[in-house]
Amino acid sequence: MTARQHPRPSPETVDVWSISLAPAMSPSTRPNDVLSPAEIARAERFVQPKHRQRFITARTALREILGSYLGLPPAAICFRINAHGKPYLDPASAMLQFNLSHSGDWALCAVTTAGEVGVDIERVRPRAQAYRLKVARRFFSAHEYHAINSAGPAGIDSAFFSGWTRKEAYIKCHGKGLAIPLATFTVSIGATTPAALIQSDWNPVDVTQCRLYDLDVPAGYYAALALLNTKPVRICQLNWSVPATSSPE
Ligand SMILES: CC(C)(COP(=O)(O)OP(=O)(O)OC[C@H]1O[C@@H](n2cnc3c(N)ncnc32)[C@H](O)[C@@H]1OP(=O)(O)O)[C@@H](O)C(=O)NCCC(=O)NCCS
């Protein structure tokens, strides 16, 4: 499915678009035709062409996807940015909430009118168990650290990355970055344990008001979504593909 089929945003659904950032999936459009001058300038600051192309593909896809919901050409999407860098649309844009994450060859874009949303995808880089535990001790809550430490060598990646992506999705949902100290809240740990926010000293009501969901992603990746909404919603995972042309339909 491409984003050009005019999907409808819904308060009962979060659409999560998978975007391949592999070189073969690069958009056929010229960046200058779609991206803003600020985005072009940012793309040009990447030293490695591979990273530049991934950024261009992700931003072009983000604009295509949002444009398809709003009935606008991708170049007409106007982003604002909060004090911590989270991009958002003008509230006049049908209260559409979105969030983007990228890692390695994949990006995810969550879109909804259900509430504030955060998404995180992480590629698993091979690392020793001791390294994972060192990072977990530094960044995770004590409860999370003990759960990761108990997972053993076979379970450490599942424990670590399920926790990492759930935590990142939570802070991205609030859009405050590391202004939310990572050890002040606790998420469930382990890919076979349902995603949940267990406790938040930072904002205790989030335990009932913020829902976490794990996402289906290719092998070697983990991903999670956070949504500020008291009711459960349907997560609809979709694939974005390069449109033949970037002109409006
Ligand atoms: C943005 C942030 C919240 C996540 O960064 P990240 O995981 O490296 O990057 P992701 O690919 O998931 O997300 C980047 C995208 O999120 C969006 N974004 C930027 N700032 C954001 C914010 N404060 N809140 C939500 N989304 C944000 C942007 O669309 C950005 O895309 P862009 O780079 O094309 O502009 C980063 O500022 C941060 O603070 N990371 C914490 C890292 C950490 O120590 N994590 C510990 C794990 S528990």
Side-chain angles (χ1 to χ4, degrees):
M1 184 177 184
T2 73
R4 303 181 68 74
Q5 291 169 292
H6 300 296
R8 299 274 175 271
S10 155
E12 284 91 38
T13 306
V14 180
D15 290 344
V16 182
W17 293 87
S18 294
I19 303 157
S20 171
L21 304 181
M25 300 305 286
S26 294
S28 53
T29 50
R30 289 179 308 162
N32 288 20
D33 294 339
V34 178
L35 303 188
S36 69
E39 288 167 326
I40 302 273
R42 206 175 143 195
E44 284 169 358
R45 286 200 292 274
F46 284 96
V47 178
Q48 286 197 35
K50 180 170 82 172
H51 294 152
R52 184 182 315 128
Q53 194 51 51
R54 282 174 174 164
F55 173 80
I56 290 169
T57 303
R59 279 299 172 126
T60 303
L62 175 65
R63 285 176 168 277
E64 284 276 349
I65 290 166
L66 295 175
S68 70
Y69 286 87
L70 297 170
L72 291 172
I77 304 293
C78 195
F79 294 112
R80 296 185 182 190
I81 291 183
N82 81 3
H84 300 274
K86 183 172 184 175
Y88 64 97
L89 295 166
D90 191 295
S93 299
M95 302 302 285
L96 202 62
Q97 309 279 352
F98 74 95
N99 196 231
L100 180 74
S101 180
H102 32 71
S103 185
D105 273 341
W106 288 96
L108 296 177
C109 173
V111 184
T112 188
T113 52
E116 283 284 357
V117 70
V119 67
D120 188 58
I121 181 167
E122 298 291 337
R123 180 169 69 89
V124 177
R125 293 181 184 83
R127 292 282 190 275
Q129 185 181 8
Y131 176 84
R132 300 260 192 260
L133 290 175
K134 192 172 144 194
V135 175
R137 188 187 282 280
R138 178 164 175 207
F139 291 112
F140 288 58
S141 72
H143 177 94
E144 290 163 341
Y145 172 75
H146 288 303
I148 293 167
N149 193 26
S150 309
I156 187 111
D157 280 353
S158 160
F160 182 88
F161 282 100
S162 61
W164 182 288
T165 52
R166 290 166 189 171
K167 286 178 86 66
E168 280 273 339
Y170 176 67
I171 62 170
K172 292 188 73 187
C173 181
H174 278 292
K176 294 191 184 297
L178 295 178
I180 303 178
L182 290 166
T184 62
F185 65 95
T186 295
V187 299
S188 55
I189 295 292
T192 57
T193 308
L197 179 69
I198 293 171
Q199 160 271 338
S200 175
D201 290 343
W202 180 75
N203 196 28
V205 294
D206 279 346
V207 171
T208 52
Q209 296 189 350
C210 185
R211 292 175 181 273
L212 301 185
Y213 301 85
D214 287 331
L215 299 171
D216 292 329
V217 281
Y221 290 80
Y222 286 80
L225 177 92
L227 178 73
L228 281 178
N229 189 325
T230 51
K231 295 184 194 140
V233 297
R234 197 167 69 92
I235 307 298
C236 183
Q237 290 201 235
L238 304 154
N239 289 311
W240 179 80
S241 57
V242 186
T245 169
S246 179
S247 60
E249 289 174 353

